[in-house]
Amino acid sequence: MAVLHARGRLREAIRQLREIADQERQKSGPTHPDTITARNSLGVALKDFGSLDEAASVYREALRDAACKHSDDQPLVLTLRHNLAVVMRIQGNLDAAEREHSAILQIQERRHGLEHPETLTTRLSLARILDDRGFATEAEAAFREVLSVCARVMGPDHPRTLSVQGNLAYLLADQERFPEAETEYRDALSACRKALGVDHPETLTNNHNLAMALGNQGKLTEAIPRFRDVVERRDRTLGPDHPETLLARKNLGESLSRAGQPAESAEEFKEVAAGWARTRGADHDSVWDARYRRAQLLWEAGQPRAAQEELEALLDRTLEVRPNGDPHITTLQRVLMAVRADDGDS
Protein backbone atom coordinates (compact mmCIF):
# COMPACT_ATOMS: atom_id res chain seq x y z
CA MET A 1 0.00 0.00 0.00
CA ALA A 2 2.84 2.35 0.86
CA VAL A 3 4.31 1.95 -2.64
CA LEU A 4 0.97 2.63 -4.33
CA HIS A 5 0.40 5.68 -2.12
CA ALA A 6 3.92 7.00 -2.62
CA ARG A 7 3.62 6.68 -6.39
CA GLY A 8 0.34 8.56 -6.45
CA ARG A 9 -1.83 5.58 -7.37
CA LEU A 10 -4.27 6.75 -4.76
CA ARG A 11 -7.49 5.25 -6.07
CA GLU A 12 -5.88 1.80 -6.14
CA ALA A 13 -4.31 2.36 -2.73
CA ILE A 14 -7.67 3.48 -1.28
CA ARG A 15 -9.43 0.39 -2.64
CA GLN A 16 -6.85 -1.93 -1.11
CA LEU A 17 -6.73 -0.02 2.17
CA ARG A 18 -10.52 -0.38 2.49
CA GLU A 19 -10.13 -4.13 2.08
CA ILE A 20 -7.35 -4.27 4.66
CA ALA A 21 -9.33 -2.18 7.17
CA ASP A 22 -12.39 -4.42 6.72
CA GLN A 23 -10.27 -7.56 7.09
CA GLU A 24 -8.61 -6.28 10.26
CA ARG A 25 -11.98 -5.30 11.71
CA GLN A 26 -13.41 -8.76 11.06
CA LYS A 27 -10.32 -10.55 12.33
CA SER A 28 -9.40 -8.49 15.37
CA GLY A 29 -12.36 -6.23 16.11
CA PRO A 30 -12.87 -2.46 15.75
CA THR A 31 -10.76 -1.49 18.79
CA HIS A 32 -7.64 -3.51 17.96
CA PRO A 33 -4.54 -1.38 17.23
CA ASP A 34 -4.07 -3.06 13.82
CA THR A 35 -7.63 -2.10 12.83
CA ILE A 36 -7.18 1.47 14.01
CA THR A 37 -3.83 1.74 12.22
CA ALA A 38 -5.37 0.46 8.98
CA ARG A 39 -8.22 2.95 9.20
CA ASN A 40 -5.77 5.75 9.90
CA SER A 41 -3.84 4.80 6.75
CA LEU A 42 -7.10 4.83 4.79
CA GLY A 43 -7.87 8.30 6.14
CA VAL A 44 -4.46 9.60 5.07
CA ALA A 45 -4.93 8.25 1.54
CA LEU A 46 -8.42 9.75 1.30
CA LYS A 47 -7.09 13.10 2.48
CA ASP A 48 -4.29 13.05 -0.09
CA PHE A 49 -6.83 12.14 -2.79
CA GLY A 50 -8.90 15.17 -1.81
CA SER A 51 -11.84 13.25 -0.31
CA LEU A 52 -11.79 15.34 2.84
CA ASP A 53 -15.32 14.60 4.07
CA GLU A 54 -14.80 10.86 3.80
CA ALA A 55 -11.36 11.10 5.42
CA ALA A 56 -12.86 12.98 8.36
CA SER A 57 -15.62 10.38 8.63
CA VAL A 58 -13.06 7.55 8.71
CA TYR A 59 -11.06 9.29 11.44
CA ARG A 60 -14.15 10.04 13.54
CA GLU A 61 -15.44 6.49 13.29
CA ALA A 62 -12.03 5.13 14.26
CA LEU A 63 -11.90 7.50 17.22
CA ARG A 64 -15.37 6.45 18.40
CA ASP A 65 -14.36 2.79 18.31
CA ALA A 66 -10.99 3.48 19.91
CA ALA A 67 -12.68 5.30 22.80
CA CYS A 68 -14.21 1.99 23.92
CA LYS A 69 -10.80 0.62 24.85
CA HIS A 70 -8.14 3.32 24.56
CA SER A 71 -7.72 6.62 26.37
CA ASP A 72 -7.64 9.78 24.31
CA ASP A 73 -3.99 10.42 25.12
CA GLN A 74 -2.56 7.15 23.82
CA PRO A 75 -0.11 7.61 20.91
CA LEU A 76 -2.27 5.88 18.31
CA VAL A 77 -5.34 7.88 19.34
CA LEU A 78 -3.32 11.10 19.30
CA THR A 79 -2.27 10.31 15.74
CA LEU A 80 -5.92 9.96 14.73
CA ARG A 81 -6.83 13.17 16.51
CA HIS A 82 -3.96 15.03 14.85
CA ASN A 83 -4.87 13.79 11.38
CA LEU A 84 -8.53 14.68 11.89
CA ALA A 85 -7.51 18.19 12.99
CA VAL A 86 -5.37 18.55 9.85
CA VAL A 87 -8.37 17.65 7.68
CA MET A 88 -10.61 20.07 9.57
CA ARG A 89 -8.09 22.86 8.98
CA ILE A 90 -7.99 22.12 5.25
CA GLN A 91 -11.81 22.14 5.22
CA GLY A 92 -11.72 25.59 6.80
CA ASN A 93 -13.08 24.48 10.18
CA LEU A 94 -10.38 26.43 11.95
CA ASP A 95 -12.03 26.71 15.37
CA ALA A 96 -12.43 22.95 15.73
CA ALA A 97 -8.96 22.29 14.35
CA GLU A 98 -7.40 24.78 16.75
CA ARG A 99 -9.23 23.28 19.75
CA GLU A 100 -8.06 19.79 18.87
CA HIS A 101 -4.45 20.77 18.19
CA SER A 102 -4.37 22.81 21.41
CA ALA A 103 -5.66 19.83 23.41
CA ILE A 104 -3.07 17.56 21.81
CA LEU A 105 -0.34 20.09 22.53
CA GLN A 106 -1.18 20.11 26.24
CA ILE A 107 -0.81 16.34 26.38
CA GLN A 108 2.47 16.39 24.45
CA GLU A 109 3.98 19.17 26.54
CA ARG A 110 3.06 17.34 29.73
CA ARG A 111 4.35 14.01 28.47
CA HIS A 112 7.35 14.98 26.34
CA GLY A 113 8.23 18.58 27.15
CA LEU A 114 8.26 21.75 25.07
CA GLU A 115 10.98 20.73 22.63
CA HIS A 116 10.04 17.15 21.69
CA PRO A 117 9.61 16.57 17.91
CA GLU A 118 5.93 15.65 18.31
CA THR A 119 5.30 18.78 20.36
CA LEU A 120 7.01 20.90 17.72
CA THR A 121 4.90 19.29 14.97
CA THR A 122 1.72 20.34 16.78
CA ARG A 123 3.05 23.84 17.37
CA LEU A 124 3.70 24.03 13.64
CA SER A 125 0.11 22.99 12.93
CA LEU A 126 -1.14 25.78 15.20
CA ALA A 127 1.12 28.24 13.38
CA ARG A 128 -0.51 27.20 10.11
CA ILE A 129 -3.91 27.93 11.61
CA LEU A 130 -2.75 31.42 12.57
CA ASP A 131 -1.73 31.91 8.95
CA ASP A 132 -5.09 30.60 7.71
CA ARG A 133 -6.84 33.10 9.97
CA GLY A 134 -4.88 35.91 8.36
CA PHE A 135 -2.72 36.60 11.41
CA ALA A 136 0.43 36.82 9.30
CA THR A 137 2.64 38.51 11.88
CA GLU A 138 1.75 36.06 14.64
CA ALA A 139 2.11 33.10 12.26
CA GLU A 140 5.55 34.22 11.13
CA ALA A 141 6.70 34.65 14.73
CA ALA A 142 5.43 31.15 15.56
CA PHE A 143 7.19 29.62 12.55
CA ARG A 144 10.45 31.37 13.41
CA GLU A 145 10.24 30.23 17.04
CA VAL A 146 9.68 26.60 16.04
CA LEU A 147 12.49 26.87 13.49
CA SER A 148 14.86 28.24 16.13
CA VAL A 149 14.06 25.40 18.55
CA CYS A 150 14.42 22.76 15.83
CA ALA A 151 17.78 24.15 14.73
CA ARG A 152 19.05 24.23 18.32
CA VAL A 153 17.71 20.86 19.45
CA MET A 154 18.04 18.78 16.29
CA GLY A 155 20.55 20.78 14.26
CA PRO A 156 20.19 23.15 11.31
CA ASP A 157 20.46 20.33 8.75
CA HIS A 158 17.99 17.96 10.40
CA PRO A 159 15.09 17.01 8.07
CA ARG A 160 12.51 18.43 10.48
CA THR A 161 14.39 21.73 10.72
CA LEU A 162 14.61 21.94 6.94
CA SER A 163 10.89 21.19 6.65
CA VAL A 164 10.05 24.04 9.03
CA GLN A 165 12.33 26.40 7.11
CA GLY A 166 10.48 25.46 3.93
CA ASN A 167 7.19 26.19 5.68
CA LEU A 168 8.47 29.61 6.73
CA ALA A 169 9.50 30.36 3.15
CA TYR A 170 6.04 29.29 1.96
CA LEU A 171 4.47 31.69 4.46
CA LEU A 172 6.62 34.54 3.16
CA ALA A 173 5.71 33.68 -0.44
CA ASP A 174 2.03 33.57 0.49
CA GLN A 175 2.43 37.15 1.74
CA GLU A 176 4.02 38.00 -1.64
CA ARG A 177 7.36 38.67 0.06
CA PHE A 178 9.02 36.79 -2.76
CA PRO A 179 12.64 38.02 -2.38
CA GLU A 180 12.63 36.94 1.29
CA ALA A 181 11.01 33.63 0.38
CA GLU A 182 13.63 33.12 -2.33
CA THR A 183 16.42 33.55 0.22
CA GLU A 184 14.87 31.05 2.63
CA TYR A 185 14.23 28.54 -0.15
CA ARG A 186 17.79 28.83 -1.45
CA ASP A 187 19.22 28.24 2.03
CA ALA A 188 16.91 25.30 2.69
CA LEU A 189 17.57 23.81 -0.75
CA SER A 190 21.34 23.97 -0.31
CA ALA A 191 21.10 22.26 3.08
CA CYS A 192 18.65 19.65 1.78
CA ARG A 193 20.92 18.69 -1.09
CA LYS A 194 23.82 18.15 1.30
CA ALA A 195 21.90 16.40 4.07
CA LEU A 196 19.21 14.50 2.17
CA GLY A 197 20.36 14.20 -1.44
CA VAL A 198 19.19 15.73 -4.69
CA ASP A 199 16.23 13.37 -5.18
CA HIS A 200 14.78 13.54 -1.66
CA PRO A 201 11.14 14.75 -1.57
CA GLU A 202 12.02 17.65 0.76
CA THR A 203 14.80 18.74 -1.62
CA LEU A 204 12.45 18.63 -4.58
CA THR A 205 9.72 20.50 -2.69
CA ASN A 206 12.13 23.32 -1.88
CA ASN A 207 13.42 23.47 -5.46
CA HIS A 208 9.84 23.53 -6.79
CA ASN A 209 8.80 26.28 -4.40
CA LEU A 210 11.96 28.25 -5.17
CA ALA A 211 10.98 28.07 -8.83
CA MET A 212 7.53 29.40 -7.88
CA ALA A 213 9.08 32.31 -5.97
CA LEU A 214 11.36 33.08 -8.92
CA GLY A 215 8.47 32.92 -11.37
CA ASN A 216 6.45 35.32 -9.24
CA GLN A 217 9.32 37.79 -9.59
CA GLY A 218 9.44 37.33 -13.35
CA LYS A 219 12.70 35.36 -13.21
CA LEU A 220 11.46 32.77 -15.69
CA THR A 221 14.85 31.97 -17.21
CA GLU A 222 15.85 30.40 -13.88
CA ALA A 223 12.41 29.18 -12.84
CA ILE A 224 11.73 27.08 -15.95
CA PRO A 225 14.89 24.91 -15.73
CA ARG A 226 14.18 24.34 -12.05
CA PHE A 227 10.63 23.21 -12.82
CA ARG A 228 11.98 20.89 -15.54
CA ASP A 229 14.48 19.40 -13.10
CA VAL A 230 11.78 18.77 -10.48
CA VAL A 231 9.45 17.19 -13.06
CA GLU A 232 12.21 14.88 -14.30
CA ARG A 233 13.25 13.79 -10.81
CA ARG A 234 9.70 13.30 -9.53
CA ASP A 235 8.77 11.44 -12.69
CA ARG A 236 11.70 9.09 -12.10
CA THR A 237 11.38 8.66 -8.35
CA LEU A 238 7.61 8.97 -7.77
CA GLY A 239 6.17 8.15 -11.16
CA PRO A 240 4.52 10.30 -13.84
CA ASP A 241 1.07 10.18 -12.23
CA HIS A 242 2.05 11.18 -8.69
CA PRO A 243 0.21 14.34 -7.56
CA GLU A 244 3.48 16.14 -6.87
CA THR A 245 4.83 15.26 -10.33
CA LEU A 246 1.67 16.55 -11.97
CA LEU A 247 1.65 19.72 -9.87
CA ALA A 248 5.22 20.51 -10.94
CA ARG A 249 4.36 19.77 -14.58
CA LYS A 250 1.33 22.08 -14.38
CA ASN A 251 3.45 24.90 -12.96
CA LEU A 252 6.08 24.26 -15.64
CA GLY A 253 3.34 24.63 -18.22
CA GLU A 254 2.15 27.92 -16.78
CA SER A 255 5.72 29.23 -16.67
CA LEU A 256 6.27 28.29 -20.31
CA SER A 257 3.08 30.15 -21.18
CA ARG A 258 4.24 33.25 -19.34
CA ALA A 259 7.57 33.00 -21.18
CA GLY A 260 5.76 33.14 -24.53
CA GLN A 261 6.00 29.42 -25.35
CA PRO A 262 2.32 28.37 -25.62
CA ALA A 263 2.93 25.31 -27.85
CA GLU A 264 5.38 23.82 -25.34
CA SER A 265 3.01 24.74 -22.52
CA ALA A 266 0.14 22.96 -24.28
CA GLU A 267 2.16 19.74 -24.37
CA GLU A 268 2.73 19.90 -20.63
CA PHE A 269 -1.00 20.40 -20.00
CA LYS A 270 -1.75 17.42 -22.24
CA GLU A 271 0.39 15.29 -19.93
CA VAL A 272 -1.22 16.82 -16.84
CA ALA A 273 -4.73 16.07 -18.10
CA ALA A 274 -3.78 12.49 -18.95
CA GLY A 275 -2.18 11.92 -15.56
CA TRP A 276 -5.09 13.33 -13.61
CA ALA A 277 -7.53 11.32 -15.74
CA ARG A 278 -5.70 8.13 -14.79
CA THR A 279 -5.55 8.94 -11.08
CA ARG A 280 -8.68 11.00 -10.45
CA GLY A 281 -10.99 9.83 -13.20
CA ALA A 282 -11.59 11.23 -16.69
CA ASP A 283 -14.45 13.46 -15.51
CA HIS A 284 -12.74 15.11 -12.54
CA ASP A 285 -12.82 18.92 -12.54
CA SER A 286 -9.01 19.07 -12.64
CA VAL A 287 -9.00 17.08 -15.90
CA TRP A 288 -11.56 19.45 -17.42
CA ASP A 289 -9.50 22.47 -16.34
CA ALA A 290 -6.27 21.05 -17.82
CA ARG A 291 -7.91 20.18 -21.14
CA TYR A 292 -9.59 23.59 -21.37
CA ARG A 293 -6.26 25.29 -20.59
CA ARG A 294 -4.57 23.22 -23.29
CA ALA A 295 -7.15 24.38 -25.82
CA GLN A 296 -6.49 28.00 -24.87
CA LEU A 297 -2.75 27.48 -25.31
CA LEU A 298 -3.18 25.81 -28.70
CA TRP A 299 -5.16 28.85 -29.83
CA GLU A 300 -2.43 31.18 -28.54
CA ALA A 301 0.15 29.05 -30.38
CA GLY A 302 -1.58 29.68 -33.70
CA GLN A 303 -3.17 26.23 -33.92
CA PRO A 304 -6.88 27.12 -34.12
CA ARG A 305 -7.96 23.80 -35.64
CA ALA A 306 -6.26 21.82 -32.88
CA ALA A 307 -7.80 24.12 -30.28
CA GLN A 308 -11.26 23.68 -31.80
CA GLU A 309 -10.90 19.89 -31.89
CA GLU A 310 -9.92 19.80 -28.24
CA LEU A 311 -12.84 22.02 -27.26
CA GLU A 312 -15.31 19.96 -29.28
CA ALA A 313 -14.05 16.69 -27.78
CA LEU A 314 -14.23 18.20 -24.32
CA LEU A 315 -17.77 19.46 -24.94
CA ASP A 316 -18.90 16.05 -26.19
CA ARG A 317 -17.58 14.42 -23.02
CA THR A 318 -18.98 17.11 -20.75
CA LEU A 319 -22.45 16.77 -22.27
CA GLU A 320 -22.36 13.05 -21.43
CA VAL A 321 -21.60 13.48 -17.75
CA ARG A 322 -23.00 16.87 -16.70
CA PRO A 323 -26.58 18.18 -16.62
CA ASN A 324 -27.89 20.75 -19.05
CA GLY A 325 -27.07 24.27 -17.94
CA ASP A 326 -23.91 23.24 -16.13
CA PRO A 327 -21.38 26.13 -16.22
CA HIS A 328 -18.78 23.89 -17.86
CA ILE A 329 -21.15 23.23 -20.75
CA THR A 330 -22.21 26.84 -21.22
CA THR A 331 -18.59 28.01 -21.11
CA LEU A 332 -17.54 25.54 -23.81
CA GLN A 333 -20.53 26.37 -26.00
CA ARG A 334 -19.81 30.09 -25.76
CA VAL A 335 -16.10 29.71 -26.50
CA LEU A 336 -16.69 27.31 -29.38
CA MET A 337 -19.16 29.73 -30.92
CA ALA A 338 -16.49 32.43 -30.87
CA VAL A 339 -13.80 30.07 -32.19
CA ARG A 340 -15.96 28.89 -35.07
CA ALA A 341 -16.97 32.44 -35.95
CA ASP A 342 -13.36 33.56 -35.97
CA ASP A 343 -12.40 30.59 -38.14
CA GLY A 344 -15.32 31.06 -40.51
CA ASP A 345 -16.75 27.69 -39.51
CA SER A 346 -20.47 27.41 -38.95
Side-chain angles (χ1 to χ4, degrees), residues 169 172-173 177-187 210 213-214 217 219 222:
L172 295 171
R177 294 160 62 183
F178 298 120
E180 295 173 74
E182 177 187 340
T183 298
E184 293 291 344
Y185 280 133
R186 287 191 190 278
D187 289 347
L210 172 58
L214 291 166
Q217 297 175 81
K219 301 177 181 179
E222 184 181 354

Side-chain angles (χ1 to χ4, degrees), residues 55-81:
S57 178
V58 167
Y59 288 136
R60 288 191 174 101
E61 184 180 348
L63 283 167
R64 282 195 299 270
D65 289 339
C68 298
K69 189 174 180 180
H70 307 278
S71 64
D72 64 0
D73 63 350
Q74 289 191 5
L76 185 55
V77 176
L78 286 177
T79 297
L80 285 170
R81 293 175 64 186

